[in-house]
Every structure is written in structure tokens, then in C-alpha cells.
Amino acid sequence: MFFDILTLFPGMFEGAFADSIIKRAQERKLVTIEIHNIRDYSGDKRHGTVDDYPYGGDAGMLLKPAPLAAAIKAGKERLSSLNPKVIFLTPQGELLRQPVVESLLSEQALIILCGRYKGIDQRIRERYIDREISIGDYVLSGGEVPAMVLVDAVTRLIPGVLNDRESAEADSLYNGLLSYPQYTRPEEFEGNRVPEILLSGHHVNIKAWKEEQALANTRARRPDLWKEYEERINDKIRNSKS
Ligand code: 9WO
């Protein structure tokens, strides 16, 4: 998978992909990440102006359409054989959940536009953006951190990126439930013991305990996920009866 990231702050990405799983994925050529500075497309080499005042007299500044269009067109040319999709990270987008991440996995290349200031000219959204995505309902300073989140979430799902152990560890989240409580050594820490069942060696009982804990955790803390889980289970029962 190819990711082209268009940003006014390329420096923010320096550490983000330089370690651990994403570093390894790049080394193995399973992902290629390029960071491009929108300012390089300002067409105004002197000042590199990329922002301007909004029509209608609002406070703040907007990203001008011409540099964005030029940056996106350059990305499309770099990735021309890969039918790239253009993504804009904004609180107004579709909420990023695991099924959205999975849907992006079928793309060969993504051009990810990071906004700044008060946003971007609407004509860019209408003419150039394929998909608008939000990572959650809060205001940030720009789309850079959400872009890192998106690249991380998608990269982990690319076949060959996780090793067997990491894949096994990731599996539990895929059923849409929260995790069960987890413990490592020592058996007793500050007077608190690891639940006896985990020390018992009864693998069948342990599996049942983990499932029970995951269900109880989800029901107590995330009623929204619990409701979806119940609906999936009921669908399964209904399908097995027809
Ligand atoms: C700034 C602002 C200032 C005064 C009045 C209204 C305003 N809206 C914004 C605004 O939405 N700024 C955005 C900053 C413009 C696009 C990039 N920025 C951004 C992206 N903030 N938060 C996100 C984001 C992206 C994806 N998921 C969650 C948040």
C-alpha cells in the first residue's frame, strides 16, 4: 500500500513512522509512505502563501484551493498506476471505526490531505476529495495526528505486517468487544494477586473466564458496542434458523 501525505507540517511525521511495526512494514516494502509539503505547491516560491481570508467575513484563515489542487494532482501523478483515493481528515467526516479501516485495505494507494487553520475551500472537497474521515468528536489543530492514526490502523491489517504473535494479540479486538483484564508477573503485586483461575492451567476454564470478562467489561463500559454485539448474535441465531 502507498500512502502520500499532504501537509503543511512534514516535521510532525518524522518520529511517527520511524519505529516498531510501521518501520518494519516500510523496510519490508509492504507500505511506502511519502510526506509532501503543501507549501511546495503554492506557486509562489517567495512567500509560499497557502492561506487566505474566508469570503463572508468569518474570523480565521482557510487553505487556498490552488496549492491543494496542485498538491493532490501531483500525488495522483506519482500514484497514477494505482488508482489512488483522496482522503481528507475532518471532524465532519465519517467516523473511523474498524470496518472503515478494513474498507481502506482494498485500496492500493491513498492520498491523505491534512487540513490546517479553519479548514479548506469547499470546492476542493467537492472536486478532489473521495472520502472524508473523522477519528472522533474533538477539535484538533490539524489533520496530521488523525493521518498518523489512519496510517497506523490500516498498516497493521496489511498481510505480512504483523508477526504471528502480534496477529494473535490483535485478534481479540476484531470481534468488537473490549479486552478482558490482563496480568503478568509477579503473582502478587502490592498485596494484589493475579486471579487464581489464570494460574490454574485449566485452558478451557480460562478461555471461558476471558470471554465472560470481555462481555461484562463491554456491557458495563461501552453500551454502544454491547448493543451491536447483541444484534450480531441475534442475526446469527436468526440466520441459523432459516
Ligand atoms: C477551526 C475553527 C476555528 C473557529 C471556528 C470554527 C473552526 N473550525 C475549525 C476547524 O474545523 N479546523 C480544522 C482543523 C480544519 C481542518 C483540520 N483541522 C482539524 C482536523 N481539526 N480536527 C481535525 C480532525 C480530523 C479528523 N478527526 C478528528 C479531528
Side-chain angles (χ1 to χ4, degrees):
M1 169 100 71
F2 287 73
F3 298 98
D4 260 23
I5 299 176
L6 312 179
T7 174
L8 282 171
F9 296 97
M12 288 182 69
F13 293 90
E14 273 168 23
F17 304 135
D19 282 299
S20 185
I21 290 169
I22 302 193
K23 177 188 185 188
R24 199 176 63 206
Q26 291 179 94
E27 286 168 353
R28 291 181 184 164
K29 301 277 186 255
L30 296 169
V31 301
T32 301
I33 306 171
E34 286 186 17
I35 313 296
H36 295 276
N37 193 337
I38 294 166
R39 206 172 291 282
D40 294 342
Y41 300 90
S42 66
D44 169 0
K45 279 280 125 73
R46 272 266 150 65
H47 309 93
T49 310
V50 293
D51 61 339
D52 207 342
Y53 297 94
Y55 281 113
D58 284 341
M61 301 296 272
L62 295 178
L63 282 168
K64 291 165 67 66
L68 294 178
I72 293 168
K73 282 176 185 161
K76 286 188 173 183
E77 267 170 37
R78 282 191 293 276
L79 302 167
S80 60
S81 59
L82 302 175
N83 187 213
K85 292 289 171 308
V86 182
I87 294 180
F88 178 51
L89 281 322
T90 165
Q92 292 158 56
E94 160 189 27
L95 189 63
L96 185 66
R97 301 189 65 202
Q98 200 63 21
V100 173
V101 178
E102 284 162 16
S103 75
L104 294 172
L105 203 53
S106 61
E107 304 296 343
Q108 292 180 272
L110 299 177
I111 296 170
I112 304 174
L113 175 61
C114 306
R116 277 274 154 176
Y117 314 118
K118 270 190 68 186
I120 68 177
D121 189 285
Q122 182 65 20
R123 291 163 292 187
I124 294 295
R125 296 170 85 152
E126 290 169 6
R127 295 289 176 194
Y128 290 91
I129 305 295
D130 295 307
R131 201 159 175 187
E132 300 194 348
I133 294 177
S134 164
I135 65 160
D137 294 333
Y138 28 77
V139 180
L140 300 170
S141 311
E144 283 79 8
V145 170
M148 293 172 202
V149 170
L150 184 70
V151 169
D152 189 297
V154 173
T155 298
R156 298 172 52 76
L157 297 186
I158 295 170
V161 166
L162 298 187
N163 60 36
D164 288 348
R165 191 166 155 185
E166 289 160 345
S167 298
E169 285 165 2
D171 270 350
S172 64
L173 259 173
Y174 283 95
N175 53 27
L177 293 174
L178 301 184
S179 177
Y180 42 82
Q182 301 172 101
Y183 300 87
T184 182
R185 291 191 291 180
E187 268 184 43
E188 185 178 319
F189 177 68
E190 296 184 344
N192 301 112
R193 288 189 55 75
V194 171
E196 220 49 50
I197 185 153
L198 296 178
L199 311 173
S200 70
H202 292 133
H203 296 294
V204 177
N205 294 354
I206 289 173
K207 187 163 178 270
W209 180 85
K210 287 179 175 174
E211 193 177 326
E212 199 179 286
Q213 294 285 320
L215 293 172
N217 238 347
T218 307
R219 190 152 77 133
R221 294 171 180 233
R222 290 294 303 274
D224 55 330
L225 296 182
W226 177 251
K227 187 162 162 263
E228 291 178 2
Y229 175 75
E230 283 189 316
E231 279 162 10
R232 280 202 303 279
I233 297 274
N234 287 334
D235 278 354
K236 265 192 199 159
I237 293 168
R238 240 176 271 122
N239 282 331
S240 72
K241 284 179 180 162
S242 66

